[in-house]
Amino acid sequence: MFDDLRDLYQEVILDHGRKPRNFRRLEDADREARGDNPMCGDRMQLWLDLDDAGRIADVGFQGKGCAISMASASLMTETVKGKTVEQARTLGVRFRDLAMTGACPDCEGDEDLERLQALSGVHEFPSRVKCATLAWHTLNAALDGAEEASSE
Ligand code: ZN
């Protein structure tokens, strides 16, 4: 990877880790789930509001963890807001591939995936992949109506 691209990604992670977006509890949320990554100590809670058309009308999270886990949760909430449940799940699958392999054959021209690419560097650090994917596991748990998600 080019150094300047790496620096840009680093900056995105630091920015979202320091100032996570949608870092708030939703009152009377339609769905909620908790996520736990015991390997690193990352924990989060996620709330979703779904509209009648099956779109994610609002999403919020709160939690504590490493910069990667918080940045990933922040990016995830920004990305899935306004998406249908189906679209959100597909993005989750793509993101998991991206985090594990660092490659993203579908990223080009896809604004959402391009944003998530900031976390592609974690594939070089297998123990951090779980930090990056925890938010997406937690999202799936919330969409499934499960209350707990674990990275294990
Ligand atoms: Zn972590």
Side-chain angles (χ1 to χ4, degrees), residues 45-66:
Q45 202 165 356
L46 181 75
W47 295 272
L48 294 177
D49 278 333
L50 301 174
D51 68 15
D52 293 339
R55 281 178 195 277
I56 297 172
D58 203 2
V59 50
F61 82 102
Q62 287 188 330
K64 263 191 157 155
C66 65

Side-chain angles (χ1 to χ4, degrees), residues 1-12:
M1 200 185 288
F2 296 110
D3 282 348
D4 52 350
L5 189 58
R6 199 187 280 270
D7 289 347
L8 170 71
Y9 287 172
Q10 188 73 24
E11 213 163 286
V12 171

Side-chain angles (χ1 to χ4, degrees), residues 3 9 27 42 82 96 98 109 141 147:
D3 282 348
Y9 287 172
E27 299 300 330
D42 310 316
R96 193 163 167 274
L98 172 66
E147 279 168 16

Side-chain angles (χ1 to χ4, degrees), residues 37 40 42 66 69 128 131:
N37 175 21
C40 178
D42 310 316
C66 65
S69 67
R128 309 312 297 277
C131 302

Side-chain angles (χ1 to χ4, degrees), residues 39-114:
M39 295 265 295
C40 178
D42 310 316
R43 302 177 72 91
M44 62 185 67
Q45 202 165 356
L46 181 75
W47 295 272
L48 294 177
D49 278 333
L50 301 174
D51 68 15
D52 293 339
R55 281 178 195 277
I56 297 172
D58 203 2
V59 50
F61 82 102
Q62 287 188 330
K64 263 191 157 155
C66 65
I68 300 278
S69 67
M70 292 297 112
S72 180
S74 173
L75 283 161
M76 183 277 285
T77 59
E78 273 199 326
T79 308
V80 302
K81 201 187 272 192
K83 299 287 190 300
T84 65
V85 170
E86 190 83 12
Q87 287 168 328
R89 286 190 195 272
T90 304
L91 281 165
V93 172
R94 297 271 183 284
F95 179 73
R96 193 163 167 274
D97 289 347
L98 172 66
M100 289 177 71
T101 67
C104 185
D106 303 315
C107 277
E108 180 126 16
D110 186 314
E111 200 184 307
D112 295 318
L113 289 172
E114 278 180 352

